[in-house]
Amino acid sequence: MTSIILMGIALLAVSFFLYSMLFIQENRERAYLKFVLLAYPFISIDVLPSILSTTLFVFITAVFLIFFYQFKPVKLRGSFPYHTLFILLLIMVGIGLWLSEEVSDESITDFIQLLAIFFFAKVLIDEMSRDLSFRSTVVQSMKVTLLFSFAFLVFQFLFGPSFSIAKSQNVNVAGGIAIRYPSFFQDPQKYAQYLSASSFLMLLITDKKPSKSNYMAMLLCSISLIALLFTGGRASFGGWLVGLMIILVFGNASYRAIILAGTLFISFFIYSYSDAIPIFKRDALDDAYAFRYAIWLDAFDIFLAHPFFGIGLGNYAHYVSIHNPDQFWINDNDITFFDHPESGYLKLLTEFGIFGFLLVFMLILLPMYRGIKTYFTTKDFNIMVMVASLSTWLIGFYTVYSLGDVRIKILVVSIVCMLIATSQEDAKSFKKSEA
């Protein structure tokens, strides 16, 4: 029944996308981007279930690229050629797959998705480079999907976590002392990463009169934190606290006052309902660490055996099924081999090798570095908001490989693109003001 509903949603989404491309009088590139961001909860649905599954995101991206996209050259003035890093990454991934023992179906699927993500990033950064005000449209779209996630979460509170668009329930949902809620994600840990990063994006100043939107932004940020507590995601909660410290240090006095009020409200909520909050009813940290540590050691040994180019994109589950067959879990009497070693960083190290690993994080950390550098020149608070958002994800990423979900890929890529475009525009405006 769930599969039929999902296919119906996918068909409706594709129909609306084609209608918007053919009949809505709007910049098609922007219409494509808005569709992806507004259809965000559903873009991971398989629209062509087969050996090589095709998500809704990949399908509409392919349709847009082939039939509707019009190339418009955009020069990022004074910007590092990020596309060069991506091309090098593709080369490293290609070498890794060529040297791998076997190219799995997941490898081909992940490679195609990587190409689609790069195209999405190019279109997004091109549009914001032409007009940075498009960033406000991106943030508003993200706000809509965040509110949708809250509504979905409420229905899960009422009807249980079986109210879901996932094909199967993740073992983390009901496998512990308390139920952990994933909203429209399949894994509550991924929802926790989504919430921690998205919450700070609500603080981006996109209104000409930001004082009127500050309180609403903080309200959404506070609700995001409360929702995060019900995911049980401890690493993401730690990341959120780091992001909060960044906002407190670099934000202005009004933000500090609002954050203090929000902190008092959330503290009262936690004090009143701590017995019902999953994040406080998890297994002991020592037990979780011991379980992960054994897997981390195995993963690091895999990396040492393939240090330069890895075992191949998407090959972790296939590799451990042969070389580390003890890495599996049983759910409903079905044996499933781990597709990541309980750490996003080790997943990338094992599959990409050191070269690919460094290239991936250069694509994330370099914009953060350039953004912080620009902030100290221009004092644009929006830059530090995006740095805080990415920091929360980077911390949560050490316990779970969330990039396996295309929605997390899109979230991270969108933040990076906004950071690049904002830093570029700020630097350009500062140079003009000095001239």
Side-chain angles (χ1 to χ4, degrees), residues 55-127:
T55 62
L56 176 62
F57 169 71
V58 171
F59 181 79
I60 66 162
T61 297
V63 170
F64 176 70
L65 175 61
I66 295 170
F67 298 106
F68 302 108
Y69 177 60
Q70 293 182 341
F71 176 75
K72 303 170 186 175
V74 177
K75 181 174 177 58
L76 300 180
R77 300 177 183 177
S79 180
F80 186 86
Y82 295 102
H83 64 276
T84 302
L85 287 179
F86 184 79
I87 291 171
L88 288 174
L89 176 61
L90 287 183
I91 293 172
M92 295 301 106
V93 169
I95 294 174
L97 289 173
W98 182 60
L99 294 175
S100 65
E101 297 176 2
E102 182 177 344
V103 177
S104 65
D105 297 334
E106 288 77 10
S107 298
I108 300 174
T109 299
D110 287 356
F111 188 78
I112 293 172
Q113 191 176 102
L114 185 63
L115 294 175
I117 285 289
F118 172 68
F119 176 75
F120 172 83
K122 172 178 169 43
V123 177
L124 179 57
I125 202 168
D126 283 355
E127 290 304 312

Coordinates of all heavy atoms in Angstrom, one line a residue, residues 55-127:
T55 N 15.8 8.1 -8.2 CA 15.0 8.9 -7.3 C 14.3 10.0 -8.1 O 14.7 10.3 -9.3 CB 15.9 9.5 -6.3 OG1 16.8 10.4 -6.9 CG2 16.6 8.5 -5.4
L56 N 13.3 10.5 -7.5 CA 12.5 11.6 -8.1 C 13.5 12.8 -8.4 O 13.4 13.4 -9.5 CB 11.4 12.1 -7.2 CG 10.6 13.3 -7.6 CD1 9.9 13.0 -8.9 CD2 9.6 13.7 -6.5
F57 N 14.4 13.1 -7.6 CA 15.4 14.1 -7.8 C 16.2 13.9 -9.1 O 16.3 14.8 -9.9 CB 16.3 14.3 -6.6 CG 17.5 15.2 -6.9 CD1 17.3 16.6 -7.0 CD2 18.8 14.7 -7.0 CE1 18.4 17.4 -7.3 CE2 19.9 15.5 -7.3 CZ 19.7 16.8 -7.4
V58 N 16.8 12.7 -9.2 CA 17.6 12.4 -10.4 C 16.8 12.4 -11.6 O 17.2 12.9 -12.7 CB 18.3 11.0 -10.2 CG1 18.9 10.6 -11.5 CG2 19.3 11.0 -9.1
F59 N 15.5 11.9 -11.5 CA 14.7 11.9 -12.7 C 14.3 13.3 -13.2 O 14.5 13.5 -14.4 CB 13.4 11.1 -12.4 CG 12.4 10.9 -13.5 CD1 12.7 10.0 -14.5 CD2 11.3 11.8 -13.7 CE1 11.8 9.9 -15.6 CE2 10.5 11.7 -14.7 CZ 10.7 10.7 -15.7
I60 N 13.9 14.1 -12.3 CA 13.5 15.5 -12.8 C 14.7 16.3 -13.2 O 14.6 17.1 -14.1 CB 12.6 16.2 -11.8 CG1 13.5 16.5 -10.5 CG2 11.4 15.5 -11.4 CD1 12.9 17.6 -9.7
T61 N 15.8 16.0 -12.6 CA 17.1 16.7 -13.0 C 17.5 16.3 -14.4 O 17.9 17.2 -15.2 CB 18.2 16.4 -12.0 OG1 17.8 16.9 -10.7 CG2 19.5 17.1 -12.4
A62 N 17.4 15.0 -14.7 CA 17.7 14.5 -16.0 C 16.7 15.1 -17.1 O 17.2 15.6 -18.1 CB 17.6 13.0 -16.1
V63 N 15.4 15.1 -16.7 CA 14.4 15.7 -17.7 C 14.7 17.2 -17.9 O 14.7 17.7 -19.0 CB 13.0 15.5 -17.1 CG1 12.0 16.3 -17.9 CG2 12.7 14.0 -17.1
F64 N 15.0 17.9 -16.8 CA 15.3 19.4 -16.9 C 16.5 19.6 -17.8 O 16.6 20.5 -18.7 CB 15.5 20.0 -15.6 CG 15.8 21.4 -15.6 CD1 14.9 22.4 -16.0 CD2 17.1 21.8 -15.2 CE1 15.3 23.7 -16.0 CE2 17.5 23.2 -15.3 CZ 16.6 24.1 -15.7
L65 N 17.6 18.8 -17.5 CA 18.9 19.0 -18.2 C 18.7 18.8 -19.7 O 19.2 19.5 -20.5 CB 19.9 18.1 -17.6 CG 21.3 18.1 -18.3 CD1 21.9 19.5 -18.3 CD2 22.2 17.1 -17.6
I66 N 18.0 17.7 -20.1 CA 17.9 17.3 -21.5 C 16.9 18.2 -22.2 O 17.2 18.6 -23.4 CB 17.4 15.8 -21.5 CG1 18.5 14.9 -20.9 CG2 17.1 15.4 -23.0 CD1 18.0 13.5 -20.8
F67 N 15.8 18.6 -21.6 CA 14.7 19.3 -22.4 C 14.6 20.7 -22.1 O 14.1 21.5 -23.0 CB 13.4 18.5 -22.2 CG 13.4 17.1 -22.6 CD1 13.4 16.1 -21.7 CD2 13.3 16.8 -24.0 CE1 13.4 14.8 -22.1 CE2 13.3 15.5 -24.4 CZ 13.3 14.4 -23.4
F68 N 15.0 21.2 -21.0 CA 14.6 22.6 -20.6 C 15.8 23.5 -20.2 O 15.6 24.7 -20.3 CB 13.6 22.6 -19.4 CG 12.4 21.8 -19.7 CD1 12.1 20.6 -19.1 CD2 11.4 22.3 -20.6 CE1 11.0 19.9 -19.3 CE2 10.3 21.6 -20.8 CZ 10.0 20.4 -20.2
Y69 N 16.9 23.0 -19.9 CA 18.0 23.8 -19.4 C 18.7 24.6 -20.5 O 18.9 24.1 -21.6 CB 19.1 22.9 -18.8 CG 20.3 23.7 -18.3 CD1 20.2 24.7 -17.3 CD2 21.6 23.4 -18.8 CE1 21.3 25.4 -16.9 CE2 22.7 24.0 -18.3 CZ 22.6 25.0 -17.4 OH 23.7 25.7 -16.9
Q70 N 18.9 25.9 -20.3 CA 19.6 26.7 -21.2 C 20.9 27.2 -20.6 O 20.8 28.0 -19.6 CB 18.7 27.9 -21.7 CG 17.5 27.5 -22.5 CD 16.6 28.7 -22.9 OE1 16.8 29.8 -22.3 NE2 15.8 28.5 -23.9
F71 N 22.0 26.8 -21.1 CA 23.3 27.2 -20.6 C 23.5 28.7 -20.7 O 23.4 29.3 -21.7 CB 24.4 26.4 -21.2 CG 25.8 26.8 -20.7 CD1 26.2 26.4 -19.5 CD2 26.6 27.6 -21.5 CE1 27.5 26.7 -19.0 CE2 27.8 28.0 -21.0 CZ 28.3 27.5 -19.8
K72 N 23.8 29.3 -19.5 CA 24.1 30.7 -19.5 C 25.4 30.9 -18.7 O 25.4 30.7 -17.5 CB 23.0 31.5 -18.8 CG 21.6 31.3 -19.5 CD 20.6 31.9 -18.6 CE 19.2 31.6 -19.1 NZ 18.1 32.1 -18.2
P73 N 26.5 31.2 -19.4 CA 27.8 31.3 -18.7 C 27.8 32.4 -17.6 O 27.3 33.5 -17.8 CB 28.8 31.7 -19.8 CG 27.9 32.2 -20.9 CD 26.6 31.6 -20.8
V74 N 28.3 32.0 -16.4 CA 28.3 32.9 -15.3 C 29.8 32.8 -14.8 O 30.2 31.8 -14.4 CB 27.3 32.6 -14.2 CG1 27.5 33.5 -13.0 CG2 25.9 32.7 -14.7
K75 N 30.4 34.0 -14.7 CA 31.8 34.0 -14.1 C 31.7 34.4 -12.7 O 31.2 35.5 -12.3 CB 32.6 35.0 -14.9 CG 34.1 35.0 -14.4 CD 34.9 35.9 -15.3 CE 36.4 36.0 -14.8 NZ 37.0 34.7 -14.6
L76 N 32.3 33.6 -11.8 CA 32.3 33.9 -10.4 C 33.6 34.7 -10.2 O 34.7 34.2 -10.1 CB 32.4 32.6 -9.5 CG 31.2 31.7 -9.7 CD1 31.3 30.5 -8.8 CD2 29.9 32.4 -9.3
R77 N 33.5 36.0 -10.1 CA 34.6 36.9 -10.0 C 35.4 36.7 -8.7 O 34.9 36.7 -7.6 CB 34.1 38.4 -10.0 CG 33.4 38.7 -11.3 CD 32.9 40.2 -11.2 NE 32.2 40.5 -12.4 CZ 31.6 41.7 -12.6 NH1 31.7 42.6 -11.6 NH2 30.9 42.0 -13.7
G78 N 36.7 36.4 -8.9 CA 37.6 36.3 -7.8 C 37.3 35.0 -7.0 O 37.9 34.8 -5.9
S79 N 36.5 34.1 -7.5 CA 36.2 32.9 -6.7 C 37.1 31.7 -7.2 O 37.5 31.6 -8.3 CB 34.7 32.6 -7.0 OG 34.4 31.4 -6.2
F80 N 37.4 30.9 -6.2 CA 38.2 29.7 -6.5 C 37.4 28.8 -7.4 O 36.2 28.7 -7.3 CB 38.5 29.0 -5.2 CG 39.4 27.8 -5.4 CD1 40.8 28.0 -5.4 CD2 38.9 26.5 -5.6 CE1 41.7 26.9 -5.6 CE2 39.8 25.5 -5.8 CZ 41.2 25.7 -5.8
P81 N 38.0 28.2 -8.4 CA 37.3 27.3 -9.4 C 36.8 26.0 -8.7 O 37.5 25.0 -8.8 CB 38.3 27.1 -10.5 CG 39.6 27.2 -9.8 CD 39.4 28.3 -8.8
Y82 N 35.7 26.1 -8.0 CA 35.2 24.9 -7.3 C 34.9 23.8 -8.3 O 35.0 22.6 -7.9 CB 33.9 25.3 -6.5 CG 34.2 26.2 -5.4 CD1 33.9 27.6 -5.5 CD2 34.8 25.8 -4.2 CE1 34.2 28.5 -4.5 CE2 35.1 26.7 -3.2 CZ 34.8 28.0 -3.3 OH 35.1 28.9 -2.3
H83 N 34.5 24.1 -9.5 CA 34.2 23.1 -10.5 C 35.4 22.2 -10.8 O 35.3 21.1 -11.1 CB 33.6 23.7 -11.8 CG 34.6 24.5 -12.5 ND1 34.8 25.9 -12.2 CD2 35.5 24.3 -13.6 CE1 35.7 26.4 -13.1 NE2 36.1 25.4 -13.9
T84 N 36.6 22.8 -10.7 CA 37.9 22.1 -10.9 C 38.0 21.0 -9.8 O 38.4 19.9 -10.1 CB 39.1 23.0 -10.8 OG1 38.9 24.0 -11.8 CG2 40.4 22.3 -11.0
L85 N 37.7 21.4 -8.5 CA 37.7 20.4 -7.5 C 36.8 19.3 -7.7 O 37.1 18.1 -7.5 CB 37.4 21.1 -6.1 CG 38.4 22.0 -5.5 CD1 37.9 22.6 -4.2 CD2 39.7 21.3 -5.2
F86 N 35.6 19.6 -8.2 CA 34.6 18.6 -8.5 C 35.1 17.6 -9.6 O 34.9 16.4 -9.5 CB 33.3 19.2 -8.9 CG 32.2 18.1 -9.1 CD1 31.6 17.6 -8.0 CD2 31.8 17.7 -10.3 CE1 30.6 16.6 -8.1 CE2 30.9 16.7 -10.5 CZ 30.2 16.2 -9.4
I87 N 35.7 18.2 -10.7 CA 36.2 17.3 -11.8 C 37.3 16.4 -11.2 O 37.3 15.2 -11.6 CB 36.7 18.2 -12.9 CG1 35.5 18.9 -13.6 CG2 37.5 17.4 -13.9 CD1 35.9 20.0 -14.6
L88 N 38.1 16.9 -10.4 CA 39.2 16.1 -9.8 C 38.6 15.0 -8.9 O 39.0 13.8 -8.9 CB 40.1 16.9 -8.9 CG 41.1 17.9 -9.7 CD1 41.8 18.8 -8.7 CD2 42.1 17.1 -10.5
L89 N 37.5 15.3 -8.2 CA 36.8 14.3 -7.4 C 36.2 13.2 -8.3 O 36.3 12.0 -8.0 CB 35.6 15.0 -6.6 CG 34.7 14.1 -5.8 CD1 35.6 13.3 -4.7 CD2 33.6 14.9 -5.1
L90 N 35.6 13.6 -9.4 CA 35.1 12.6 -10.3 C 36.2 11.7 -10.8 O 36.0 10.5 -11.0 CB 34.4 13.3 -11.5 CG 33.0 13.9 -11.3 CD1 32.5 14.5 -12.6 CD2 32.0 13.0 -10.7
I91 N 37.3 12.3 -11.1 CA 38.5 11.5 -11.6 C 38.9 10.5 -10.5 O 39.1 9.3 -10.8 CB 39.7 12.4 -12.0 CG1 39.3 13.2 -13.2 CG2 40.9 11.5 -12.3 CD1 40.3 14.2 -13.6
M92 N 39.0 11.0 -9.3 CA 39.4 10.1 -8.2 C 38.4 9.0 -8.0 O 38.7 7.8 -7.7 CB 39.5 10.9 -6.9 CG 40.7 11.9 -6.9 SD 42.3 11.2 -7.2 CE 42.6 11.7 -8.9
V93 N 37.1 9.3 -8.0 CA 36.0 8.3 -7.9 C 36.1 7.3 -9.0 O 35.9 6.1 -8.8 CB 34.6 9.0 -7.9 CG1 33.5 8.0 -8.0 CG2 34.4 9.8 -6.6
G94 N 36.3 7.8 -10.3 CA 36.4 6.9 -11.4 C 37.6 5.9 -11.3 O 37.4 4.7 -11.5
I95 N 38.7 6.4 -10.8 CA 39.9 5.5 -10.6 C 39.6 4.5 -9.5 O 39.9 3.3 -9.6 CB 41.1 6.3 -10.2 CG1 41.6 7.2 -11.4 CG2 42.3 5.4 -9.8 CD1 42.7 8.2 -11.0
G96 N 38.9 4.9 -8.4 CA 38.5 4.0 -7.3 C 37.6 2.9 -7.8 O 37.8 1.7 -7.5
L97 N 36.7 3.3 -8.7 CA 35.7 2.2 -9.2 C 36.5 1.3 -10.2 O 36.2 0.1 -10.2 CB 34.6 2.9 -9.9 CG 33.6 3.6 -9.0 CD1 32.5 4.4 -9.9 CD2 32.8 2.6 -8.1
W98 N 37.4 1.8 -11.0 CA 38.2 1.0 -11.9 C 39.1 0.0 -11.2 O 39.2 -1.1 -11.6 CB 39.0 1.9 -12.8 CG 39.8 1.2 -13.8 CD1 39.3 0.4 -14.8 CD2 41.2 1.2 -14.0 NE1 40.4 -0.1 -15.6 CE2 41.6 0.4 -15.1 CE3 42.3 1.8 -13.2 CZ2 42.9 0.2 -15.5 CZ3 43.6 1.6 -13.7 CH2 43.9 0.8 -14.8
L99 N 39.6 0.4 -10.0 CA 40.5 -0.4 -9.2 C 39.7 -1.4 -8.3 O 40.3 -2.3 -7.7 CB 41.5 0.4 -8.4 CG 42.5 1.2 -9.2 CD1 43.3 2.1 -8.3 CD2 43.4 0.3 -10.1
S100 N 38.5 -1.1 -8.1 CA 37.7 -1.9 -7.1 C 37.5 -3.3 -7.6 O 37.6 -3.7 -8.8 CB 36.3 -1.2 -6.9 OG 35.5 -1.3 -8.1
E101 N 37.2 -4.2 -6.6 CA 37.0 -5.6 -6.9 C 35.8 -5.8 -7.8 O 35.8 -6.7 -8.7 CB 36.8 -6.4 -5.6 CG 38.0 -6.4 -4.7 CD 37.7 -7.1 -3.3 OE1 36.6 -7.6 -3.2 OE2 38.6 -7.1 -2.5
E102 N 34.8 -5.0 -7.5 CA 33.6 -5.2 -8.3 C 32.8 -3.9 -8.2 O 32.7 -3.2 -7.2 CB 32.7 -6.3 -7.8 CG 31.4 -6.6 -8.6 CD 30.6 -7.8 -8.1 OE1 31.2 -8.6 -7.4 OE2 29.4 -7.9 -8.5
V103 N 32.1 -3.5 -9.3 CA 31.3 -2.3 -9.3 C 29.9 -2.7 -9.1 O 29.3 -3.4 -9.9 CB 31.4 -1.5 -10.7 CG1 30.4 -0.4 -10.7 CG2 32.8 -1.1 -11.0
S104 N 29.3 -2.4 -7.9 CA 28.0 -2.8 -7.5 C 26.9 -1.9 -8.1 O 27.2 -0.8 -8.7 CB 27.9 -2.7 -6.0 OG 28.0 -1.4 -5.5
D105 N 25.7 -2.3 -8.0 CA 24.6 -1.5 -8.5 C 24.5 -0.2 -7.8 O 24.2 0.9 -8.4 CB 23.2 -2.3 -8.3 CG 23.2 -3.5 -9.2 OD1 23.9 -3.6 -10.2 OD2 22.5 -4.5 -8.8
E106 N 24.8 -0.2 -6.5 CA 24.8 1.0 -5.7 C 25.9 2.0 -6.2 O 25.7 3.2 -6.1 CB 25.1 0.7 -4.2 CG 23.9 0.0 -3.5 CD 23.8 -1.5 -3.8 OE1 24.7 -2.0 -4.5 OE2 22.8 -2.1 -3.5
S107 N 27.0 1.5 -6.7 CA 28.0 2.3 -7.2 C 27.6 3.2 -8.4 O 27.8 4.4 -8.4 CB 29.3 1.5 -7.6 OG 29.8 0.8 -6.5
I108 N 26.9 2.5 -9.3 CA 26.4 3.2 -10.5 C 25.3 4.2 -10.1 O 25.3 5.4 -10.5 CB 25.8 2.2 -11.5 CG1 26.9 1.3 -11.9 CG2 25.2 3.0 -12.7 CD1 26.5 0.2 -12.9
T109 N 24.4 3.8 -9.2 CA 23.3 4.7 -8.7 C 23.9 5.9 -8.0 O 23.5 7.1 -8.3 CB 22.4 4.0 -7.7 OG1 21.8 2.8 -8.4 CG2 21.3 4.9 -7.2
D110 N 24.9 5.7 -7.1 CA 25.5 6.8 -6.4 C 26.3 7.7 -7.3 O 26.3 9.0 -7.1 CB 26.4 6.3 -5.3 CG 25.7 5.7 -4.1 OD1 24.4 5.8 -4.1 OD2 26.4 5.1 -3.2
F111 N 26.9 7.2 -8.4 CA 27.7 8.0 -9.3 C 26.7 8.9 -10.1 O 27.0 10.1 -10.3 CB 28.5 7.1 -10.2 CG 29.4 7.9 -11.1 CD1 30.6 8.4 -10.6 CD2 29.1 8.2 -12.4 CE1 31.5 9.1 -11.4 CE2 30.0 8.9 -13.3 CZ 31.2 9.3 -12.7
I112 N 25.6 8.4 -10.5 CA 24.6 9.2 -11.3 C 24.1 10.3 -10.4 O 23.9 11.4 -10.8 CB 23.5 8.3 -11.8 CG1 24.1 7.3 -12.9 CG2 22.4 9.1 -12.4 CD1 23.1 6.3 -13.4
Q113 N 23.8 9.9 -9.1 CA 23.3 10.9 -8.2 C 24.3 12.0 -7.9 O 24.0 13.2 -7.8 CB 22.9 10.2 -6.9 CG 22.1 11.1 -5.9 CD 21.7 10.4 -4.7 OE1 22.3 10.5 -3.6 NE2 20.7 9.5 -4.8
L114 N 25.6 11.7 -7.9 CA 26.7 12.6 -7.7 C 26.7 13.7 -8.8 O 26.8 14.9 -8.6 CB 28.0 11.9 -7.6 CG 29.2 12.8 -7.3 CD1 29.1 13.4 -5.9 CD2 30.5 12.0 -7.4
L115 N 26.5 13.2 -10.1 CA 26.4 14.1 -11.2 C 25.2 15.0 -11.1 O 25.3 16.2 -11.5 CB 26.4 13.3 -12.5 CG 27.6 12.4 -12.9 CD1 27.3 11.6 -14.1 CD2 28.8 13.3 -13.1
A116 N 24.1 14.4 -10.7 CA 22.8 15.2 -10.6 C 23.0 16.3 -9.5 O 22.6 17.5 -9.7 CB 21.7 14.3 -10.3
I117 N 23.7 16.0 -8.4 CA 23.9 17.0 -7.3 C 24.8 18.1 -7.8 O 24.6 19.3 -7.5 CB 24.5 16.3 -6.1 CG1 23.5 15.4 -5.4 CG2 25.2 17.3 -5.2 CD1 22.5 16.3 -4.6
F118 N 25.8 17.7 -8.6 CA 26.7 18.8 -9.1 C 26.0 19.7 -10.0 O 26.1 21.0 -10.0 CB 27.9 18.2 -9.9 CG 28.7 19.2 -10.6 CD1 29.5 20.1 -9.9 CD2 28.7 19.3 -12.0 CE1 30.3 21.0 -10.6 CE2 29.5 20.2 -12.7 CZ 30.3 21.1 -11.9
F119 N 25.1 19.2 -10.9 CA 24.3 20.0 -11.8 C 23.4 20.9 -11.0 O 23.3 22.1 -11.3 CB 23.5 19.2 -12.7 CG 22.6 20.0 -13.6 CD1 23.1 20.7 -14.7 CD2 21.2 20.0 -13.4 CE1 22.2 21.4 -15.5 CE2 20.4 20.8 -14.2 CZ 20.9 21.5 -15.3
F120 N 22.7 20.4 -9.9 CA 21.9 21.2 -9.1 C 22.7 22.4 -8.5 O 22.2 23.5 -8.4 CB 21.3 20.3 -8.0 CG 20.5 21.1 -6.9 CD1 19.2 21.5 -7.1 CD2 21.1 21.4 -5.7 CE1 18.5 22.2 -6.1 CE2 20.5 22.1 -4.7 CZ 19.2 22.5 -4.9
A121 N 23.9 22.0 -8.0 CA 24.7 23.1 -7.3 C 25.1 24.1 -8.3 O 25.1 25.3 -8.0 CB 26.0 22.4 -6.8
K122 N 25.4 23.7 -9.6 CA 25.8 24.7 -10.6 C 24.7 25.7 -10.9 O 24.8 26.9 -10.9 CB 26.3 24.0 -11.9 CG 26.5 25.0 -13.0 CD 27.0 24.4 -14.3 CE 26.9 25.4 -15.4 NZ 27.4 26.7 -15.1
V123 N 23.5 25.1 -11.1 CA 22.3 26.0 -11.4 C 22.0 26.9 -10.2 O 21.7 28.1 -10.4 CB 21.1 25.1 -11.7 CG1 19.8 26.0 -11.9 CG2 21.3 24.2 -12.9
L124 N 22.1 26.4 -9.0 CA 21.8 27.2 -7.8 C 22.8 28.4 -7.6 O 22.4 29.5 -7.4 CB 21.8 26.3 -6.6 CG 21.5 27.0 -5.2 CD1 20.2 27.8 -5.3 CD2 21.5 26.0 -4.1
I125 N 24.1 28.0 -7.7 CA 25.1 29.1 -7.5 C 25.1 30.1 -8.7 O 25.3 31.3 -8.5 CB 26.5 28.5 -7.3 CG1 27.4 29.5 -6.6 CG2 27.1 28.0 -8.6 CD1 28.6 28.9 -6.1
D126 N 24.7 29.6 -9.9 CA 24.6 30.6 -11.0 C 23.5 31.6 -10.8 O 23.7 32.8 -11.0 CB 24.4 29.8 -12.3 CG 25.6 29.1 -12.9 OD1 26.7 29.3 -12.3 OD2 25.5 28.4 -13.9
E127 N 22.3 31.1 -10.3 CA 21.2 32.0 -10.1 C 21.5 33.0 -9.0 O 21.1 34.1 -9.1 CB 19.9 31.1 -9.8 CG 19.4 30.4 -11.0 CD 19.1 31.3 -12.2 OE1 18.5 32.3 -12.0 OE2 19.6 30.9 -13.3

